Amino acid sequence: MTVTWPTRMDHDTVAYWEGLREAKLILCRCRECETWIHPPRACCPACWSDDIGHESPSGQATLFSYLIQPTAPKQPPEVVGWAELVEQKELFVVAPVEGMSFDNVEIGAKLTLGFREQGGISLPVFSAGEEK
Ligand SMILES: [Zn+2]
């Protein structure tokens, strides 16, 4: 499976980036078959429709996989999670996970989406645990 994560704004990713300016996760969703689509695409991978809308998921997820990312010298490494959103099987958002470290990271753990201000934009970040 080839996955291209949104790294710049173009026709397909403008809603994603505009959402992050307001600390909202906006994903593509097919208006024909209701499949959530991320990374953004102009065509539904399930039914090939080009009638693509945009919606905000609940922000609830489980940790599907992760990597340990070095940060600054003398700082603890960061857990970067491959989070599967509860809206759909294999709907993933990759983002740092706060509240987890190399010592306590746990596949299948419940995660809640939040945002981290960085360089004038709010980037997705997950925290361990369910929304209260
Ligand atoms: Zn579709």
Side-chain angles (χ1 to χ4, degrees), residues 4-125:
T4 304
W5 298 102
T7 56
R8 61 186 159 82
M9 190 180 296
D10 61 23
H11 175 270
D12 298 339
T13 65
V14 65
Y16 174 81
W17 290 113
E18 292 290 337
L20 291 184
R21 282 190 185 157
E22 300 174 17
K24 291 180 185 166
L25 182 64
I26 305 293
L27 302 184
C28 293
R29 191 169 190 193
C30 178
R31 291 189 178 116
E32 291 287 329
C33 74
E34 300 188 332
T35 295
W36 291 85
I37 303 161
H38 190 67
R41 295 173 63 165
C43 175
C44 176
C47 75
W48 294 19
S49 170
D50 62 0
D51 188 6
I52 305 298
H54 299 94
E55 292 185 35
S56 192
S58 67
Q60 299 303 300
T62 57
L63 187 61
F64 180 83
S65 187
Y66 67 93
L67 60 84
I68 303 296
Q69 167 100 0
T71 54
K74 299 184 181 177
Q75 295 294 315
E78 184 172 58
V79 173
V80 176
W82 192 276
E84 185 176 47
L85 301 182
V86 298
E87 278 73 13
Q88 181 176 294
K89 188 172 171 34
E90 298 182 357
L91 177 65
F92 298 113
V93 171
V94 177
V97 180
E98 295 177 339
M100 281 190 184
S101 68
F102 180 76
D103 297 328
N104 70 359
V105 64
E106 180 186 344
I107 297 292
K110 301 290 185 197
L111 303 175
T112 297
L113 178 69
F115 295 91
R116 180 191 292 169
E117 179 78 19
Q118 188 172 326
I121 196 163
S122 298
L123 296 176
V125 58

